[in-house]
Structures are given as structure tokens and as C-alpha cells.
Amino acid sequence: MKKSLLTILIAIMVVLAGCVSTKSDVSDKKNDNTEPKTDKSKVVIELLGMGSGEEDMNIVRDQLIKNGFDVKLNIQPDYGSFTAQKDAGNYDVALSSWTTVTGNPDYAVRALFKSDGDNSIMADDEVDALIEKASTETSDEFAETYKQLEQRLVFDKAYIAPLYNSFKAQGVNKDILDVDTVRLAKSRAIAWEPIDFIDKSKRDTDPLIIQQAIGTLTSLDPIKGNDGSINTLNTNMYVRLVNLTDDDVVVSDGSLSYNHSIAEGNSDYYFLLRDDINFASITDGKAVDTGERVGADDVIFSMNRAKDPNSVPDHRTYSLHEHINEVEVVTDLSDLDILQSGSDATVREGLEKNLDVKIGELVSDKKEADNATGKYQVVKMTTTAPFPQVLNYLAHQSAGIVSKKQVESINTYDVSSFDVSKDIPYGDQNTVTEGAKYNNTLYASGPYILSHKNDYEGIFYKNPAYMVGTEHEPKISNVTVRFIQDPDSTLSALRNGEIHIFNGVPETKYDVVEGDSKLFLQKNDSNAVSYLLFNTKNREVSTSEELRKAVLYSINQDEILNFYQGNKKKAVSTVSPLVDTGNELKADPAKVQEFLNDYKAGN
């Protein structure tokens, strides 16, 4: 697309004024196969991202160019294509983001930066040691350790270059939904079960319609994915031992447990299971009660496979649960007569808190549990070391409880010789995608179950045997999740009544939602951080700290905040929203030139 002389003059004026561009020509370049001309004297940086991150890519490109780089943009249309390019190493820096959905700082670093982390592409012994040290410390102690970790991660080695910490916002159609029933938690994914219509007569006839950007689902087996394609879906499909409040407090409310208790020493954790949840399945296109109760055997099975990196091929969440040592069912009541951590009360007293019927007997067989007569199941979890943050991980979607019976009946393959061309694992999205391969074998322990999907939407139905008659029973029978990648298209769909909730309204669109009389904008702090991730394998930035630091000090967060009209916060690392380390990244053109000169001299 050719630009007018006036457009070129305006662009030059903007650069001379030192401002960040607010309009992009990235979209023009997406389909331009012509190789951009580069200045041989300048270092070329290839920036990888998705079309949905176009504005951030523009800002980073402009800041790098202003500091003497040439920039090649590698823009992919969707998450799958982005991941393929990233796995192939076709980038110098990748536009990345992370949301600490468990509300604890260990989660903010372990999977991303530890050598054996599920999503890590780096290996640094000092980073590993600091992550492990911080995990054993209380919140009063770990601030200094995380400060040292940030120093190593960002300033000493420049493995990442931080961009910003986002707020969290969602637009709600207040003419259709009761806004007071729609939660916006700081960390956890949106809970569907409490949401209700203003007109309650629509609960069984009309679907709740929401949106997410990614339509290609990593896996509906909760331990096989940890990304934006399935976090919300699996959170609502599988119940967990504990939950997070909207302010990141670990509670039993709305979970598989009536109560949980920590014994003295912070290594033994006890969970009193409720008996009013059965697994749901899909039969003839409808959600049905399988008659199988969610019990201790399922918890033990789910936690053991969650912590075992070899339990399934392509296990992506095992490092979140590696602190679990043993999980067992308790059958002797006297085992509960020990003190709780930091309390004069016993574990039994903690588990019995606010119970209508106290514990009279512990049973090992879930079929024998009958809470109304005092028969309960208690699961004990022991960690490898004192580690209170384990509870936050148990609130994560990857700790969702699956059916031992069903998963074992589906996953009959040999993990070591798994053949992706013929073996069909539990949770494979192809089994719920409309077409010849459709064969829904899901068993959902949570409030909803996915019936089927296509490229346009996914259809979920209420679990008919989930906490029936309690405040946690789902209000709306059907949920439709529309797959709309572009934020502008999503906002348009919200305003037109095509969807009821837009979770993730961009900061630049707050005023549009607030100016629409039928919409309500919910806002909250979040643990979402965007950053640049350096290639650590096969590029010049992989081996040159000088080159990485030159990119790092080109990033001007003040300009980014200005572009987003103050609706972003500064960040240093993914722990920034959780721990005040006192660290700060300041753009420094002089340092950029110093590091670039050192890099060029070495090459």
C-alpha cells in the first residue's frame, strides 16, 4: 500500500518529536513478500508476535529503530502459528506475556525461567537456585530473594526485557446479565457458575455467550496445557481441591473440599471432600450424570499424574506440582488429632469448621461416603519440603480432578512410544470438534462440560450433578464460547449484543465501553505482564549479553504507558504485580550504544 506524501511527512514529524506511533503500517507489511532493505551497518533484530499484538510490536519496533537497530517483523495470524515459529527459533525476540493465575510469585517464575520449567527455553543455575530458595520462604522473607532473581534475570543476563503490567477489565452487557453475579478476579479465570440473567426465566433457554481469542485448544486434559486457549475452559470443566477468591486468597469455597487444613511443619495438607459432585459426560449431544462420584481415588490419581512428567506425552504443567511427594486417603480419625500450623486447634477441628454434621467416620471407598450421616473422605497430601505455596498451585486449572476410571480407559497407549498419528489421548480437541473424528469422551468434574466445537464456537452444558441445590450449582444451563481473535471485532460483538461478556477489554477501549449505556466496565488489578523473550538457542542474541542488553535498554516504559493513556503499569519481571522488589528498568540510549559497540567489536 503506497502512502501519500502528507502521511510520510507526518510520520517523520512524529519520530523527530520522540513520540511512539499510534498507527501502524504493520498490517500493510503482513502480506508484502518483498524483503525489506536493511542498513548493513546496523544490527537487525527479528521481532516475533501475533497480529493481536500489533500495537506493542509497533512500539518496540520504533524504540529499537530510534536506538540504531534495523527491525524485521515476523507477524503470525494466530497462537498456533506463533508457537510454530517460536519453536523453530525464527526470532531474536518474541512478544510474550504471562498471567500468574495462582496468585503466588513461585508460579510467576518456575515454569518460565527454571531450567526444567514447562515453558522455559533457558538454563541458568543461579536463576534455578534463587527460584528454589524463594519457594521455601514466607512472604515476609522472599522479597529480597525475588529482587536478586530479577537482577539476574533482567539486568545481569537480560534473558527478558519487560514492557508493562496490565490492568484487568471486562465489559458486561448489563441489560442482559445481572452485573453483581459476574466476577472479575485478579488471578483466576472467570467463573461461569455464579453468572445469572436479569430475567431468570431465560436460564434454561438462552445461552450465556462469552468470548476468547484462541480457538485451537491445546488439550482438554488439564495437565497438558497452560495457555490462553484452555485456562478458562478447563477451570470451568474440572473442580479443584481449593479455589482463589477474587483477591487471591486460597479458600475451599466452591471447591471439592468443604475445608482444608495445614498441619504443623507446613508439609502435611488435609482436605475434607464433599459428596455432592458426580462426573458428567456427553451422550446424544446432551450432558448427563454418569453416576460416578468425584472422590478420593480420583484426587489421588489426578495429583499423582499432575506431578509426574512422564504420566502423559507432552506434559506441560508437571513443574507446578513437583513439590507433591505423596497423596493418600486417611481412614483413621485419630490421624486428624494433630495441631494445625500456627494454631492451638487440631486438624480435625479445622476440617469440621461450619459443618452441619461433624466427622463420625472416615471411609476409603467414595461410594460409602455419606456426609449427611457423618461419613466423609479425607485426602492427605505431603510435600517434599515445607511449601505453603502448594495450595496456590492446587487452585490452578492443571490441578483439576479427572476421572481415574475414564482417563485410564482412554489413555491405553504406551507413553514412551506414543504415536501422534494413531494414538488418541484423553482431552484431544479433535474428539470434540465437529466432523468425522468427533467422539466426545470427556468426563467433567466441574460445573460445565464441553459438548462440541468448531472454528467459530464451543458449546458447553451444565453438569447436572454438580452441587445441586447449593449456592454453587450453575445458574445458566448453556454457555457458548465464541472464538474471536481481534479485540475490535470482539468489542463490536459486545456492543451489538452478539456476546454478553468481553473479558480482556483493551485499555485504549475503556472509554468506548463506559460510553455505551447498555454496557458496564469492570476493572481490577491483574498479574498479567508483557515482556520480550530473547531467543536462547540459535541467534546472535543467544550468546551475546551485550546485544541483549542493548535491546533491553532501548525499551522506554514511559512511552508505552503514555500510549496506553496511563492504563498500564511499569514492570521489571513477571513477579512485579506480586512482590515489590524496588527494581526498575530505565531506558538509557547511552547504554544501548555502549553495549552495541561492545557487541560489534566482538564480532
Side-chain angles (χ1 to χ4, degrees):
M1 182 182 295
K2 295 182 179 179
K3 292 182 169 54
S4 67
L5 179 58
L6 177 59
T7 301
I8 295 172
L9 289 174
I10 291 174
I12 293 173
M13 290 172 66
V14 169
V15 172
L16 290 176
C19 297
V20 178
S21 300
T22 58
K23 294 292 182 182
S24 169
D25 62 354
V26 174
S27 58
D28 297 337
K29 296 180 181 179
K30 289 180 190 175
N31 302 312
D32 185 357
N33 295 321
T34 305
E35 275 294 316
K37 295 180 180 179
T38 59
D39 186 334
K40 299 291 186 180
S41 66
K42 294 183 178 181
V43 176
V44 179
I45 294 294
E46 182 174 4
L47 173 60
L48 171 65
M50 291 187 290
S52 58
E54 178 180 320
E55 290 174 332
D56 287 345
M57 295 183 75
N58 271 341
I59 295 171
V60 171
R61 176 201 60 190
D62 291 351
Q63 291 182 348
L64 290 175
I65 289 175
K66 188 166 61 176
N67 280 276
F69 291 93
D70 264 350
V71 179
K72 176 183 178 182
L73 296 177
N74 183 349
I75 305 172
Q76 296 301 313
D78 52 46
Y79 183 74
S81 302
F82 168 82
T83 301
Q85 287 290 304
K86 185 168 173 283
D87 291 345
N90 296 330
Y91 70 101
D92 292 305
V93 288
L95 189 62
S96 304
S97 62
W98 183 260
T99 301
T100 303
V101 294
T102 58
N104 64 311
D106 188 76
Y107 179 83
V109 293
R110 180 171 296 274
L112 294 177
F113 308 125
K114 198 165 179 288
S115 297
D116 58 354
D118 308 323
N119 299 294
S120 177
I121 62 170
M122 54 174 279
D124 186 301
D125 291 341
E126 186 171 333
V127 168
D128 292 350
L130 288 168
I131 290 174
E132 289 301 337
K133 180 184 177 184
S135 74
T136 66
E137 297 174 328
T138 66
S139 57
D140 295 331
E141 301 168 329
F142 58 41
E144 178 58 31
T145 306
Y146 283 116
K147 180 177 182 177
Q148 295 174 26
L149 174 61
E150 279 189 341
Q151 182 64 39
R152 177 77 175 179
L153 184 70
V154 179
F155 302 104
D156 294 347
K157 291 294 184 179
Y159 292 125
I160 66 170
L163 298 179
Y164 54 78
N165 167 213
S166 294
F167 289 94
K168 194 171 188 179
Q170 64 186 8
V172 181
N173 189 320
K174 63 182 181 181
D175 288 349
I176 295 176
L177 298 181
D178 179 351
V179 172
D180 292 337
T181 67
V182 183
R183 295 172 54 184
L184 180 62
K186 183 180 180 185
S187 297
R188 69 160 286 176
I190 183 173
W192 298 343
E193 69 267 24
I195 301 175
D196 205 354
F197 292 120
I198 292 176
D199 182 355
K200 294 178 174 50
S201 67
K202 295 182 177 181
R203 287 176 173 177
D204 295 328
T205 58
D206 291 12
L208 166 67
I209 309 175
I210 61 178
Q211 167 272 351
Q212 75 172 35
I214 305 173
T216 301
L217 311 181
T218 303
S219 177
L220 296 162
D221 182 339
I223 66 173
K224 293 191 66 176
N226 188 17
D227 59 75
S229 74
I230 49 79
N231 278 338
T232 296
L233 309 188
N234 283 344
T235 293
N236 285 283
M237 280 230 299
Y238 299 99
V239 71
R240 295 159 301 284
L241 285 170
V242 290
N243 279 322
L244 288 180
T245 67
D246 293 351
D247 297 320
D248 289 348
V249 178
V250 178
V251 295
S252 290
D253 297 344
S255 75
L256 182 59
S257 305
Y258 283 117
N259 288 307
H260 65 277
S261 179
I262 308 174
E264 275 190 322
N266 294 335
S267 289
D268 294 328
Y269 302 79
Y270 295 82
F271 306 88
L272 182 71
L273 305 189
R274 56 194 305 151
D275 68 349
D276 58 353
I277 303 176
N278 286 1
F279 289 101
S281 66
I282 295 295
T283 302
D284 296 329
K286 297 181 180 180
V288 299
D289 177 1
T290 64
E292 180 189 346
R293 178 178 294 169
V294 183
D297 58 334
D298 304 300
V299 173
I300 294 169
F301 173 74
S302 299
M303 295 300 99
N304 282 334
R305 71 193 295 264
K307 71 172 184 174
D308 179 6
N310 300 312
S311 62
V312 292
D314 198 25
H315 194 328
R316 299 190 182 187
T317 60
Y318 62 86
S319 70
L320 303 183
H321 306 291
E322 63 186 2
H323 289 90
I324 298 175
N325 183 40
E326 186 177 6
V327 190
E328 58 188 319
V329 63
V330 179
T331 56
D332 189 341
L333 263 176
S334 65
D335 289 349
L336 305 182
D337 294 328
I338 55 177
L339 290 179
Q340 294 185 99
S341 177
S343 172
D344 293 331
T346 65
V347 166
R348 179 173 179 173
E349 290 172 318
L351 294 179
E352 289 182 330
K353 185 177 179 181
N354 296 325
L355 282 186
D356 293 332
V357 180
K358 304 300 182 183
I359 304 173
E361 181 183 353
L362 296 180
V363 297
S364 59
D365 187 343
K366 64 185 179 184
K367 296 178 182 178
E368 296 179 4
D370 184 1
N371 299 168
T373 62
K375 294 182 179 180
Y376 291 89
Q377 286 198 302
V378 169
V379 169
K380 175 186 177 184
M381 179 181 297
T382 303
T383 53
T384 55
F387 185 56
Q389 290 191 56
V390 72
L391 291 173
N392 291 78
Y393 287 120
L394 296 180
H396 186 251
Q397 64 87 20
S398 62
I401 308 304
V402 297
S403 165
K404 178 179 186 294
K405 174 184 175 182
Q406 180 69 358
V407 172
E408 286 183 335
S409 72
I410 300 299
N411 289 356
T412 57
Y413 53 79
D414 183 349
V415 175
S416 63
S417 59
F418 178 80
D419 186 345
V420 68
S421 66
K422 66 181 182 66
D423 293 326
I424 303 175
Y426 175 83
D428 188 329
Q429 77 148 359
N430 290 317
T431 64
V432 295
T433 302
E434 294 174 339
K437 294 183 178 180
Y438 178 86
N439 180 29
N440 192 330
T441 58
L442 296 175
Y443 265 42
S445 60
Y448 289 92
I449 182 169
L450 175 60
S451 170
H452 56 278
K453 70 172 287 287
N454 51 38
D455 292 338
Y456 175 63
E457 64 186 11
I459 306 298
F460 291 77
Y461 296 134
K462 170 182 174 178
N463 178 349
Y466 185 84
M467 301 194 198
V468 176
T470 73
E471 63 178 309
H472 303 294
E473 179 183 357
K475 303 295 189 298
I476 298 175
S477 295
N478 306 324
V479 177
T480 296
V481 179
R482 294 269 165 83
F483 304 129
I484 311 174
Q485 179 175 331
D486 179 60
D488 288 333
S489 299
T490 305
L491 182 56
S492 177
L494 178 68
R495 301 188 71 188
N496 293 333
E498 298 169 19
I499 61 174
H500 303 146
I501 300 175
F502 176 10
N503 184 271
V505 176
E507 288 87 339
T508 54
K509 302 297 182 181
Y510 285 179
D511 58 337
V512 176
V513 176
E514 291 174 323
D516 192 317
S517 61
K518 64 178 174 295
L519 303 181
F520 179 76
L521 183 70
Q522 295 178 316
K523 292 184 286 187
N524 198 359
D525 287 337
S526 86
N527 296 328
V529 174
S530 293
Y531 58 96
L532 300 178
L533 179 66
F534 287 94
N535 191 330
T536 57
K537 290 184 178 179
N538 60 356
R539 293 290 181 99
E540 290 291 324
V541 295
S542 307
T543 56
S544 173
E545 287 182 22
E546 291 81 6
L547 183 52
R548 297 199 299 269
K549 289 177 180 177
V551 173
L552 172 69
Y553 286 105
S554 296
I555 302 303
N556 188 321
Q557 293 189 357
D558 288 321
E559 290 182 346
I560 297 175
L561 268 59
N562 180 63
F563 172 80
Y564 284 106
Q565 303 169 27
N567 287 317
K568 299 284 189 185
K569 294 181 179 180
K570 290 186 177 182
V572 178
S573 74
T574 46
V575 300
S576 293
L578 300 153
V579 182
D580 183 6
T581 63
N583 290 331
E584 183 179 0
L585 173 64
K586 295 181 179 179
D588 193 330
K591 284 187 177 180
V592 173
Q593 294 309 310
E594 177 186 344
F595 287 124
L596 270 180
N597 291 338
D598 289 345
Y599 164 71
K600 292 177 180 178
N603 283 272

